[in-house]
Amino acid sequence: MFRPRVEGAENVPGTGPVILAGNHLTFIDSMIMPICLDRQVFFIGKDEYVTGKGIKGRLMAWFFTSVGMIPVDRDGGRGGAAALMTGRRVLEEGRIFSIYPEGTRSPDGRLYRGRTGVARLTLMTGAPVIPFAMIGTDKAQPGGAGFPRPVQVTVRFGEPLEFSRYEGMDRDRYVLRAVTDSVMAEVMRLSGQEYVDMYATKAKEAA
């Protein structure tokens, strides 16, 4: 439907743990990016996607779990820690875990400041980070709602980033920020987005 143009897929290792970290423009990002790779991609999603009632609820649960979504209650007080531990478990099993460092969809198409979960994961597990960029998905599904339009999109994968020089420093907030900013700089380069040095959630609250 979207005829995705894939660039740099060869940068994703064929085996072993991998962290995919990219921008988040709209809901369908998590549907399109995984189909561009030969390996299965796992990511977290709201548990409400798999707890619906009736036939519709069962179909949604089947669909989201089959495409690699792991349901997590992200709205609770321990939501962030649960998501982090879920990602760590996936990586320790030698799989691919995808994360959006912005933490939510961009409210206006710009790239916002990354949260440090991606840094914690790479420092805890030693898994390389592959930055990626979703391009054009916001035109296919403006606002992240409604049925998507058949617009060609691009998925661009960058070269692996490894941070072994910071091994054992996953509790140092300055290191976590430096690693996260390095990842976001690569995402910005790949996507061509304007960067905003504030969290997307703050931008949404201020709107």
Side-chain angles (χ1 to χ4, degrees):
M1 179 177 178
F2 303 104
R3 310 182 309 282
R5 181 186 297 112
V6 184
E7 301 175 5
E10 68 277 4
N11 290 324
V12 181
T15 60
V18 177
I19 301 169
L20 297 177
N23 61 334
H24 195 12
L25 297 173
T26 190
F27 178 78
I28 59 173
D29 292 337
S30 297
M31 308 297 107
I32 294 176
M33 187 275 287
I35 67 173
C36 297
L37 297 174
D38 293 332
R39 298 178 61 188
Q40 184 170 13
V41 176
F42 294 88
F43 57 95
I44 61 170
K46 295 180 180 180
D47 60 354
E48 64 190 58
Y49 292 149
V50 299
T51 56
K53 305 295 183 181
I55 295 177
K56 180 180 178 182
R58 289 196 296 271
L59 285 174
M60 287 183 63
W62 168 81
F63 173 76
F64 284 110
T65 55
S66 67
V67 297
M69 193 199 88
I70 302 172
V72 172
D73 181 5
R74 299 186 300 173
D75 296 326
R78 299 182 179 178
L84 192 66
M85 290 303 101
T86 298
R88 182 174 184 174
R89 175 174 56 80
V90 170
L91 294 168
E92 289 176 344
E93 293 173 351
R95 301 170 182 262
I96 295 181
F97 185 71
S98 179
I99 187 171
Y100 299 116
E102 291 170 281
T104 186
R105 295 192 294 267
S106 170
D108 54 17
R110 295 185 294 176
L111 185 69
Y112 284 80
R113 194 178 199 214
R115 297 187 179 274
T116 59
V118 62
R120 292 181 186 276
L121 282 175
T122 187
L123 297 185
M124 286 191 299
T125 65
V129 179
I130 306 294
F132 71 89
M134 305 300 300
I135 302 170
T137 53
D138 53 337
K139 295 180 176 61
Q141 192 183 36
F147 193 78
R149 296 180 291 191
V151 175
Q152 185 173 38
V153 302
T154 297
V155 184
R156 183 175 294 149
F157 298 95
E159 296 183 359
L161 305 175
E162 64 89 22
F163 301 96
S164 58
R165 60 192 179 278
Y166 298 124
E167 183 179 358
M169 303 176 71
D170 58 282
R171 294 185 181 276
D172 186 314
R173 63 190 181 96
Y174 296 105
V175 169
L176 293 175
R177 174 47 53 194
V179 169
T180 302
D181 288 348
S182 295
V183 172
M184 297 308 289
E186 278 301 296
V187 174
M188 179 179 66
R189 185 183 67 80
L190 293 168
S191 68
Q193 291 171 279
E194 177 186 348
Y195 180 75
V196 182
D197 192 23
M198 69 181 295
Y199 293 121
T201 50
K202 294 294 184 182
K204 289 181 177 182
E205 291 171 1

